[in-house]
Amino acid sequence: MSKSKNHIEKMEELLADLRARELEEKQPILEELQKLYQEQPDETTALIYAKGLFNLTVNQNLEGCEQTVEKLGSLFNCFPEDSFIALAYAKGLVSLSAEQDLSGCQASIELLTELFNRFPEDSSIALEYAKGLFNLTVDQNLEGCEQTVERLANLSSQFPADSSIALAYAKGLVNLTVAQDLSGREQTVEKLSNLFSRFSDNSAIALEYATGLYNLTVAQDSSGREQTVEKLSNLFSRFPEDSSIALKYAKGLVNLSAQQDLSGCEHTVKELANLSSRFPADSSIALEYAKGLFNLTVAQDLEGCEHTVKELANLSSRFPA
C-alpha cells in the first residue's frame, strides 16, 4: 500500500472518530487532521480536513464557529475550483449564520452568494445557500424578509424539483407571514399552498403550509378563520399520523373558538377533544384542548361551565407536571 494511501486512510479514520466525539473531544483530533493535511496538501486531504472543520462548527459557540469558518474559507481559497470543498465551506457558513446577529448573518450570506455564483449548477451548494437565506429571514424586518424570500423564490425556481430547497423557501415564507398584515399573509399563504401542491406528499412542506395557515388565522375575522381552519382540517386528514400538523390544526381551532358563539364553540371543542384523543400523550395538543375548553366556559351557563371545568380538571390530572 502506498504511503499516500496510508495517509488518506489515517485521515478518514480520524474524521470518523471526530464525528463520534463530543465537542470538547474534537479539537485534538482536528489538530491531527490539520497536521496530516499540511504534510500532504492536495484536494483529497483538503476535503477530509474541510469535512472535519464543518463537523466542528455544528456545536460551536459564535466565536469558535467564526474561527473555524475562517479556516474553511482559507482552505477553499487554496482549491477554488473544488466544489466539494466549497460545499463544506458553505455548510460551515450556514452553521455560522444560525448563531449570528443580523449584521453578521448578512455578511455570511454574501459569502454564500459568492459560492453559489461560482457553482450555479450545484444543487447541494444551492441548498446550503437556501438554508442560509432562511436563517437570514429569522431576524429581518418586513422589508428585508420580503427581499430575502424573493431570493429564495428565485432559487427554488432554478431547482424546481428539489424538495429540500422548496422546504427552505417554505420556511422563509412562514417567517414572512409573521411580519405581515392580513392581506400580505393571504398572498404568502397562497404561495405556500402552491408549493404544497407541487410536493403534496412531503410532510415537512405540509407542516410549513399548516404553520402559515395558523399564522393566517391570527389576523382573520370569524368568517376567515372558519375557511382557513377547514383547510387545516383537510391538510391534517392528508397526514393523520403527524402530530406536528395536528398541533397547528389544534391551534387554529383554538383561534376559531375564541370568536364563536356557544354552539360553534361546542362543535370546535369537540374537534379538539378528538385530536387530543388521537394523540393522548401529546401535552402540546392537550394544552390547545385546554385553551379551547376555557374559551367554551366564557359562553356557557352555570351547568355547562361546571361540566367543562370538570373536563379541564380531568385533563390537568393527565398532565400533572
Side-chain angles (χ1 to χ4, degrees):
M1 187 179 292
S2 70
K3 182 179 178 181
S4 175
K5 191 170 184 181
N6 277 331
H7 200 88
I8 292 168
E9 286 186 354
K10 186 174 181 181
M11 290 189 72
E12 288 176 338
E13 289 172 3
L14 285 168
L15 179 61
D17 189 22
L18 177 79
R19 287 170 168 162
R21 300 288 184 144
E22 297 297 322
L23 177 60
E24 60 273 11
E25 301 174 311
K26 291 179 186 285
Q27 192 63 48
I29 302 171
L30 192 65
E31 289 172 1
E32 184 64 20
L33 275 175
Q34 181 181 17
K35 179 182 175 182
L36 290 170
Y37 159 67
Q38 290 170 341
E39 290 174 1
Q40 186 180 307
D42 58 34
E43 288 188 344
T44 302
T45 58
L47 178 57
I48 298 171
Y49 179 38
K51 289 178 177 178
L53 287 167
F54 159 64
N55 185 268
L56 186 63
T57 67
V58 175
N59 299 117
Q60 284 184 301
N61 60 23
L62 176 59
E63 182 180 0
C65 195
E66 285 175 337
Q67 294 171 4
T68 304
V69 169
E70 188 173 339
K71 291 178 182 178
L72 275 165
S74 298
L75 196 61
F76 171 66
N77 288 335
C78 294
F79 302 93
E81 303 306 317
D82 192 306
S83 63
F84 295 105
I85 295 174
L87 177 59
Y89 180 29
K91 288 181 175 182
L93 285 166
V94 171
S95 293
L96 178 59
S97 69
E99 300 294 328
Q100 292 175 304
D101 60 17
L102 180 58
S103 175
C105 190
Q106 288 171 329
S108 293
I109 298 310
E110 287 310 305
L111 292 172
L112 277 166
T113 304
E114 291 173 12
L115 278 177
F116 173 66
N117 288 338
R118 189 171 293 198
F119 302 95
E121 305 301 321
D122 192 311
S123 61
S124 296
I125 291 175
L127 174 57
E128 299 309 314
Y129 180 31
K131 291 177 181 178
L133 288 170
F134 161 69
N135 286 346
L136 182 58
T137 66
V138 172
D139 292 318
Q140 288 183 303
N141 61 20
L142 176 59
E143 182 181 2
C145 193
E146 286 175 337
Q147 294 172 3
T148 302
V149 167
E150 185 63 27
R151 293 164 76 178
L152 277 165
N154 292 336
L155 196 58
S156 184
S157 69
Q158 288 179 249
F159 299 88
D162 194 309
S163 61
S164 297
I165 292 174
L167 177 59
Y169 175 32
K171 288 181 175 182
L173 286 166
V174 169
N175 281 350
L176 180 57
T177 64
V178 174
Q180 291 178 306
D181 60 15
L182 175 59
S183 175
R185 291 185 190 198
E186 288 173 336
Q187 295 175 39
T188 301
V189 169
E190 186 61 30
K191 293 176 183 177
L192 281 165
S193 175
N194 293 337
L195 264 184
F196 173 65
S197 295
R198 284 170 47 203
F199 301 95
S200 56
D201 294 324
N202 190 304
S203 61
I205 290 175
L207 175 57
E208 298 307 317
Y209 179 32
T211 305
L213 287 167
Y214 161 69
N215 288 347
L216 179 57
T217 67
V218 173
Q220 288 179 306
D221 60 18
S222 179
S223 175
R225 286 183 182 182
E226 286 179 356
Q227 296 173 27
T228 302
V229 168
E230 182 65 26
K231 292 178 181 178
L232 277 165
S233 175
N234 293 336
L235 191 59
F236 172 64
S237 69
R238 293 281 306 278
F239 300 91
E241 305 305 317
D242 193 309
S243 62
S244 297
I245 292 174
L247 178 60
K248 300 302 178 183
Y249 178 30
K251 286 175 176 285
L253 285 165
V254 170
N255 281 350
L256 177 60
S257 70
Q259 293 184 329
Q260 290 179 303
D261 59 19
L262 178 59
S263 174
C265 193
E266 286 174 335
H267 177 79
T268 299
V269 169
K270 186 178 293 185
E271 183 61 17
L272 280 165
N274 292 337
L275 278 176
S276 186
S277 297
R278 186 172 295 197
F279 301 94
D282 193 309
S283 60
S284 296
I285 291 174
L287 174 59
E288 298 307 315
Y289 177 32
K291 290 177 182 177
L293 287 167
F294 165 73
N295 287 345
L296 180 59
T297 65
V298 174
Q300 287 180 308
D301 58 19
L302 177 60
E303 182 180 359
C305 192
E306 286 175 336
H307 178 77
T308 302
V309 168
K310 186 178 294 186
E311 178 61 20
L312 276 166
N314 292 336
L315 195 58
S316 179
S317 67
R318 284 171 49 200
F319 299 91

